[in-house]
C-alpha cells in the first residue's frame, strides 16, 4: 500500500540514524524546577556514555528570558573534556551569545533559531523574521570564520501557537535564508507538537522541490499530540536520517504555551532498533541516563518504551 506523497517502506533503506540529543537544552529550558549544574553535567555525560554522538548542551540566551540556561558557562566548563568524537552544539541567537559560547573552548557547532511564523519570532527572540536573519548572518559569518559549524532551526513548521496553521511556503522561505547563511543542516521544528504525517510530508516535499538535500535536514518533533514517532516514520520514508530528541521526553518551549516535551530519545531508539536502523545508542543506558535529573524535577520518564522497560525490570 502506498501512502500519499511517498513510497511506502523506504525507511528500510536507511541503515543508520543520527540522533541529536537536545534534552539538556530543549528539555530543561522549560522545566519549572531549576536543575543544578552538576545534575545537568551528569546528564550530558551519561548520555554520551549511552552512545549519544551529537548533543545540544545549553543555550547562550538572555538569562532574563530563559533563567534555566543561565549556568551555560559553568555547564560548558565542566564538559570541556567530552570526547572529541562527540559533536557539542549550543544555541546562539546573536553575536553576544556566540562570543560567550566561544569562550567555552568545547563547542563544535552553534545553532541559530528562526521561525516560519512572525508572531513566534517576536515572542521567542523579540524581533521579526527579517531582523533575525540579519542577526544570524552576523553569527554565521563569525562562527564559520572561527571554524565552527552553524546549524539552523525553523520553528513552527506546521503550526504556530499564536497564528495557527503555517503554510509550508513560509518554511521554505526561512530554510533558504538559513541555507544561504551557510547552515550545514536545518532542523525542522514542530514546536507545539501538533503535526501529523501528511503535514510533515507537505513540508519536506516543499523543501525538496526547492532543492533541499534530505541529508541536510533534521526532524525536531515535539510529542504533544502523540504523533512525533509517526512523523519520524514518515520522515524516514522521505529520506531523512537525522532526528532531534530529548532523553525521557523532557521539554517544551517557554514561548509555546501547551507544547509538551520533545520526542523521547528512548522511543526514537526503540523504533530504530526495531526497524534494524543503527543509532549507536544503548537503549537501557539512555533510560538510566536521565534518572537523577527526573528525581530532581520530581517527574517520571515520559517515554512509553522507557516506562515499559522499567516496569519489566521491576518484575
Ligand atoms: C534573543 C534575545 C537575547 C533578545 O532579547 P532582547 O531583550 O531583544 O535583546 P537585547 O539585545 O535588547 O538585550 C537585552 C538584554 O539581554 C542581554 N542579552 C542579549 N543577548 C544575550 C545573550 N545571547 N546572552 C546573554 N544575554 C544577552 C543584553 O546584554 C541585555 O542585557 P541588560 O543590558 O538588560 O542586562 C532574547 O529574546 C532571548 O534570549 N530569547 C530567548 C530565546 C530562547 O531561548 N527561546 C527558547 C529556545 S527556541 C526553541 O525552544 C525552539 C527550538 C529551537 O527548540 C526548535 C523548536 O522546537 O521549534
Amino acid at each position: 500500500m502506498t501512502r500519499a506523497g511517498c513510497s511506502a517502506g523506504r525507511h528500510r533503506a536507511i541503515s543508520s540514524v543520527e540522533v541529536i540529543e537536545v534534552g539538556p537544552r530543549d528539555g530543561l529550558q522549560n522545566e519549572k524546577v531549576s536543575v543544578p549544574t552538576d545534575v545537568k553535567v551528569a546528564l550530558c555525560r551519561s548520555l554520551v556514555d549511552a552512545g549519544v554522538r551529537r548533543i545540544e548542551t545549553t543555550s547562550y540566551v538572555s538569562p532574563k528570558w530563559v533563567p534555566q540556561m543561565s549556568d551555560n558557562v559553568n555547564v560548558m566548563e565542566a564538559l570541556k573534556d567530552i570526547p572529541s568524537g562527540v559533536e557539542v552544539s549550543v544555541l546562539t541567537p546573536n553575536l553576544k551569545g556566540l562570543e560567550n559560547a566561544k569562550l567555552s573552548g568545547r563547542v563544535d557547532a552553534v545553532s541559530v533559531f528562526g521561525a516560519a511564523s512572525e508572531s513566534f519570532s517576536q515572542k521567542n527572540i523579540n524581533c521579526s523574521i527579517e531582523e533575525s536573519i540579519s542577526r544570524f548572518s552576523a553569527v554565521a559569518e563569525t562562527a564559520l570564520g572561527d571554524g565552527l559549524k552553524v546549524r539552523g532551526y525553523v520553528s513552527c513548521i506546521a503550526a504556530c501557537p499564536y497564528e495557527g496553521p503555517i503554510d509550508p511556503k513560509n518554511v521554505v522561505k526561512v530554510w533558504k535564508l538559513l541555507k544561504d547563511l551557510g547552515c550545514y543542516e536545518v532542523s525542522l521544528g514542530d514546536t507545539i507538537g501538533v503535526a501529523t504525517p501528511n503535514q510533515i510530508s507537505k513540508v519536506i516535499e516543499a523543501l525538496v522541490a526547492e532543492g533541499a538535500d534530505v541529508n541536510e535536514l533534521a526532524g525536531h518533533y515535539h510529542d504533544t499530540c502523540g504523533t512525533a514517532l509517526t512523523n519520524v516514520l514518515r520522515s524516514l520514508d522521505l529520506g531523512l536520517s537525522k532526528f532531534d530528541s530529548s532523553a525521557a521526553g523532557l521539554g517544551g518551549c517557554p514561548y509555546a504555551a501547551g507544547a509538551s516535551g520533545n520526542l523521547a530519545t528512548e522511543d526514537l531508539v526503540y523504533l530504530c532498533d526495531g526497524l534494524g536502523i543503527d543509532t549507536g545508542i544503548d537503549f537501557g543506558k539512555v533510560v538510566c541516563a536521565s534518572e537523577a535529573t527526573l528525581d530532581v524535577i520530581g517527574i517520571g520518564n515520559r517515554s512509553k518504551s522507557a516506562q515499559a522497560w522499567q516496569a519489566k525490570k521491576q518484575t
Side-chain angles (χ1 to χ4, degrees), residues 64-270:
K64 287 182 193 148
W65 284 63
V66 184
Q68 294 88 336
M69 297 288 111
S70 60
D71 60 351
N72 43 29
V73 170
N74 295 335
V75 166
M76 290 308 299
E77 178 62 31
L79 291 175
K80 258 187 173 161
D81 61 345
I82 287 281
S84 57
V86 177
E87 183 189 279
V88 174
S89 61
V90 296
L91 293 193
T92 54
N94 52 23
L95 279 174
K96 181 174 176 123
L98 174 64
E99 291 311 321
N100 289 336
K102 275 179 358 197
L103 296 176
S104 77
R106 184 53 189 95
V107 167
D108 302 298
V110 293
S111 296
V112 291
F113 45 108
S117 148
E118 277 297 343
S119 310
F120 188 79
S121 181
Q122 288 290 352
K123 297 270 186 192
N124 193 38
I125 50 174
N126 206 24
C127 65
S128 66
I129 294 174
E130 193 181 352
E131 171 62 21
S132 74
I133 296 297
S134 142
R135 290 180 193 179
F136 300 159
S137 168
V139 171
E141 195 183 333
T142 310
L144 292 170
D146 289 333
L148 296 172
K149 293 161 84 177
V150 181
R151 189 171 201 244
Y153 275 102
V154 184
S155 286
C156 303
I157 60 159
C160 164
Y162 311 102
E163 293 181 12
I166 294 291
D167 190 322
K169 279 188 199 133
N170 297 342
V171 181
V172 171
K173 219 184 281 173
V174 179
W175 161 77
K176 255 192 190 143
L177 293 165
L178 292 173
K179 177 95 183 117
D180 289 348
L181 297 185
C183 291
Y184 72 103
E185 177 178 293
V186 174
S187 177
L188 306 172
D190 177 23
T191 313
I192 52 174
V194 294
T196 52
N198 284 355
Q199 287 171 297
I200 294 296
S201 289
K202 280 184 186 144
V203 171
I204 294 173
E205 284 165 357
L207 288 163
V208 169
E210 290 299 320
D213 177 345
V214 286
N215 296 310
E216 295 174 1
L217 298 174
H220 178 107
Y221 307 138
H222 285 256
D223 204 26
T224 316
C225 296
T227 52
L229 264 190
T230 61
N231 292 336
V232 167
L233 203 52
R234 178 60 61 89
S235 305
L236 286 167
D237 278 344
L238 292 170
L240 266 69
S241 60
K242 298 173 184 185
F243 297 97
D244 300 355
S245 63
S246 171
L250 285 164
C253 176
Y255 304 101
S260 77
N262 289 77
L263 164 66
T265 304
E266 292 89 330
D267 291 341
L268 177 58
V269 171
Y270 182 86

